[in-house]
């Protein structure tokens, strides 16, 4: 028999058994669970990505709920194991849940939570950082400096792109895409073109109002346009940032043909999910177009990069850190724990997953609701009146 995974146990006599597959930042989430009579078991095994078998062993014979990670494969096997153990709730510590087979969860009556809202600005800030770093070639310049190659100012040294007055393109203007768009428009006075299945009226109103403000101050106003196709964004924008969910419709959304539509000196940013870009085609495109630059937080075969990507000077690569601010990660842990706790306690579902602030206020008890359950309708769960 395989050796059991290492766990740390809090409140051993708690009535409800909750498992967290990883230690998570902060302590509030731990306290919230143990104050509500949960025995919490946190897997502390030194193994970055747990297998399905590892998680089945953590679930064991009795488990009321699990807090898991986006690196885990939550499908039929795990939901059936959780259901057999009496579990009714699982929450990803992430807003994206492409690692979860929601139909399988529905089949076993397991509620699936995610953590929207708390990571919107943090993720958008990283997309903005990558945009700036790519435009001004910051990583290349840093490497050059550290290599001792700088021997004096030169007119052509690391010349990049001025963002002001250029066009920023956003694909997927939901919570994060809209926050990124606002940062780039307001911060750098860029014009906006976006593509989404839905109209983002709040974003449009923001850019209109900011444009009017600039005009009233004698400056060139910024503009916005909602594109009717994604290709329009790719052709027109100078900086393009990808923020859709990953599903069948967005897999390889950016492929060889679409890369060819983009401007030769365009910048492409991906802080959504790796498979939204065909990474093999991207490597070829980067090789053929040295002035084209990318900033990537996510990768098609995470944690691996496709061959050649790591050697490309025109690529900035960071290890899926877009949501990595202390406040956000602690908030994600809190929301994930409250999703599981709320379902165990029979609480209703919070009516607006875009308005999660009441759950994050450390000076007040959280509302008696599950902050965000993605399959609440399918399971017929009641909605909170709060
Ligand atoms: N790199 C990281 O650390 C992080 C990555 N993410 C990723 O970002 C994604 C978006 O998060 P939110 O903005 O909170 O979600 P959201 O649901 O508010 O926004 C997603 C948007 O994508 C749009 N969309 C869906 N299919 C599309 C298509 N085929 N073409 C164009 N637009 C499409 C939707 O209409 C929606 O407006 C998450 O699902 C997750 O995968 C989120 C947080 C951190
Ligand atoms: O929340 C998500 O979807 C993430 O990728 C976490 O950073």
């Amino acid at each position: 028999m395989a050796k059991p995974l290492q766990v740390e146990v809090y409140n051993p006599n708690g009535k409800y058994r909750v498992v967290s597959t990883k230690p998570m930042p902060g302590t509030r989430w731990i306290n919230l669970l143990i104050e509500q009579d949960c025995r919490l078991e946190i897997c502390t095994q030194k193994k970055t990505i747990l297998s399905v078998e590892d998680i089945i062993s953590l679930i064991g014979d009795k488990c009321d709920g699990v807090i898991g990670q986006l690196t885990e494969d939550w499908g039929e096997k795990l939901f059936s194991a959780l259901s057999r153990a009496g579990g009714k709730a699982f929450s990803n510590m992430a807003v994206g849940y492409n690692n979860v087979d929601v139909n399988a969860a529905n089949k076993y009556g397991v509620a699936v939570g995610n953590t929207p809202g708390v990571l919107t600005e943090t993720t958008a800030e990283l997309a903005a950082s990558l945009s700036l770093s790519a435009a001004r070639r910051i990583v290349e310049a840093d490497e050059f400096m550290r290599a001792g190659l700088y021997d004096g100012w030169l007119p052509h040294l690391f010349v990049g792109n001025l963002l002001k007055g250029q066009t920023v393109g956003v694909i997927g203007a939901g919570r994060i895409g809209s926050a990124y768009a606002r940062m780039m428009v307001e911060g750098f006075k860029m014009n906006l073109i976006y593509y989404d299945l839905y109209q983002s009226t709040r974003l449009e109103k923001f850019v209109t109002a900011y444009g009017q403000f600039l005009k009233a101050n004698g400056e060139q106003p910024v503009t916005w346009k909602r594109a009717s196709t994604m290709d329009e964004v790719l052709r027109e924008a100078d900086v393009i940032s990808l923020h859709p969910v990953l599903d069948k419709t967005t897999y390889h959304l950016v492929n060889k043909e679409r890369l060819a539509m983009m401007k030769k000196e365009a910048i492409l940013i991906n802080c959504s999910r790796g498979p939204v870009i065909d990474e093999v085609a991207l490597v070829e495109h980067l090789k053929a177009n040295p002035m084209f630059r990318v900033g990537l937080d996510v990768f098609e075969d995470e944690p691996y990069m496709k061959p050649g990507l790591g050697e490309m000077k025109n690529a900035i690569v960071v290890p899926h850190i877009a949501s990595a601010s202390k406040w956000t990660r602690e908030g994600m842990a809190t929301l994930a724990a409250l999703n599981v706790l709320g379902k165990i306690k029979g609480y209703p579902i919070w009516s607006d997953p875009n308005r999660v602030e009441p759950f994050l206020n450390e000076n007040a008890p959280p509302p008696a609701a599950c902050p965000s359950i993605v399959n609440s309708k399918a399971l017929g769960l009641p909605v909170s009146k709060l």
Side-chain angles (χ1 to χ4, degrees):
M1 228 180 70
K3 241 172 95 186
L5 300 180
Q6 277 180 352
V7 292
E8 206 167 280
V9 181
Y10 291 79
N11 194 28
N13 298 322
K15 178 171 166 194
Y16 310 104
R17 181 170 176 264
V18 173
V19 168
S20 174
T21 61
K22 284 274 174 260
M24 300 189 293
T27 50
R28 185 165 176 246
W29 70 277
I30 297 175
N31 294 333
L32 287 167
L33 288 170
I34 60 184
E35 278 161 15
Q36 296 287 327
D37 212 4
C38 293
R39 171 192 165 103
L40 172 63
E41 294 187 23
I42 304 176
C43 179
T44 52
Q45 189 77 23
K46 293 260 167 294
K47 182 175 180 189
T48 304
I49 302 181
L50 296 185
S51 66
V52 166
E53 288 66 36
D54 290 333
I55 300 171
I56 288 176
S57 80
L58 288 172
I59 290 171
D61 298 334
K62 183 208 177 273
C63 179
D64 296 284
V66 178
I67 303 164
Q69 301 298 322
L70 59 84
T71 47
E72 299 158 5
D73 179 10
W74 277 83
E76 177 80 28
K77 280 191 187 167
L78 285 182
F79 286 116
S80 67
L82 183 55
S83 163
R84 267 197 312 277
K88 289 274 178 284
F90 163 75
S91 184
N92 239 12
M93 183 209 170
V95 64
Y97 54 93
N98 52 289
N99 61 312
V100 180
D101 179 347
V102 179
N103 289 331
N106 292 343
K107 180 173 153 191
Y108 291 99
V110 176
V112 173
N114 73 340
T115 64
V118 69
L119 35 61
T120 298
E121 303 291 329
T122 298
T123 305
E125 283 181 12
L126 192 92
S129 312
L130 289 174
S131 306
L132 282 189
S133 304
R136 300 303 301 275
R137 306 174 64 184
I138 291 173
V139 174
E140 279 176 82
D142 177 279
E143 281 170 358
F144 175 87
M145 195 75 196
R146 288 172 201 275
L149 297 171
Y150 181 50
D151 56 5
W153 190 92
L154 280 172
H156 285 294
L157 193 61
F158 291 109
V159 170
N161 305 354
L162 172 70
L163 296 179
K164 184 176 180 221
Q166 289 206 325
T167 300
V168 62
V170 171
I171 293 170
R175 286 176 290 251
I176 299 169
S178 291
Y180 168 83
R182 289 195 302 271
M183 285 175 194
M184 302 309 283
V185 169
E186 189 180 1
F188 304 105
K189 297 181 183 154
M190 298 185 83
N191 297 312
L192 172 68
I193 179 166
Y194 78 93
Y195 175 71
D196 197 296
L197 311 179
Y198 303 96
Q199 185 174 12
S200 183
T201 23
R202 271 183 74 190
L203 177 59
E204 292 172 1
K205 278 186 187 159
F206 174 87
V207 183
T208 303
Y210 186 50
Q212 284 162 352
F213 169 82
L214 290 175
K215 201 170 169 195
N217 283 282
E219 289 192 60
Q220 181 72 22
V222 288
T223 60
W224 62 265
K225 175 163 136 189
R226 182 181 176 204
S228 51
T229 63
M230 185 184 140
D231 298 355
E232 212 178 317
V233 177
L234 297 178
R235 287 200 181 92
E236 289 185 23
D238 301 288
V239 179
I240 293 152
S241 198
L242 306 173
H243 297 284
V245 296
L246 171 63
D247 62 15
K248 281 188 202 126
T249 70
T250 60
Y251 175 81
H252 282 192
L253 200 62
V254 177
N255 56 17
K256 186 175 178 212
E257 291 71 37
R258 286 196 159 132
L259 285 163
M261 288 174 192
M262 295 173 66
K263 295 182 183 177
K264 292 270 180 235
E265 297 195 3
I267 291 170
L268 176 66
I269 304 298
N270 190 8
C271 287
S272 60
R273 284 290 182 264
V276 172
I277 300 182
D278 176 347
E279 207 171 291
V280 169
L282 177 66
V283 174
E284 288 313 306
H285 193 77
L286 287 167
K287 282 183 186 159
N289 298 278
M291 296 311 288
F292 182 92
R293 293 196 274 273
V294 287
L296 304 175
D297 180 53
V298 286
F299 304 89
E300 192 166 351
D301 304 324
E302 223 165 293
Y304 307 107
M305 288 188 277
K306 292 285 190 200
L309 183 58
E311 286 89 66
M312 300 309 303
K313 286 261 178 244
N314 46 350
I316 299 172
V317 289
V318 294
H320 203 149
I321 55 167
S323 68
S325 74
K326 184 174 179 291
W327 182 81
T328 287
R329 288 284 167 88
E330 290 186 4
M332 290 162 75
T334 297
L335 294 180
L338 290 175
N339 280 328
V340 169
L341 180 66
K343 186 68 182 60
I344 289 173
K345 300 291 264 183
Y347 295 160
I349 312 305
W350 191 240
S351 57
D352 184 359
N354 293 322
R355 194 175 56 83
V356 291
E357 296 77 20
F359 294 93
L360 304 172
N361 179 0
E362 303 207 5
N363 302 315
C370 301
S372 178
I373 299 294
V374 303
N375 56 348
S376 59
K377 279 204 185 94
L379 297 183
L381 300 176
V383 176
S384 164
K385 298 205 168 43
L386 291 171

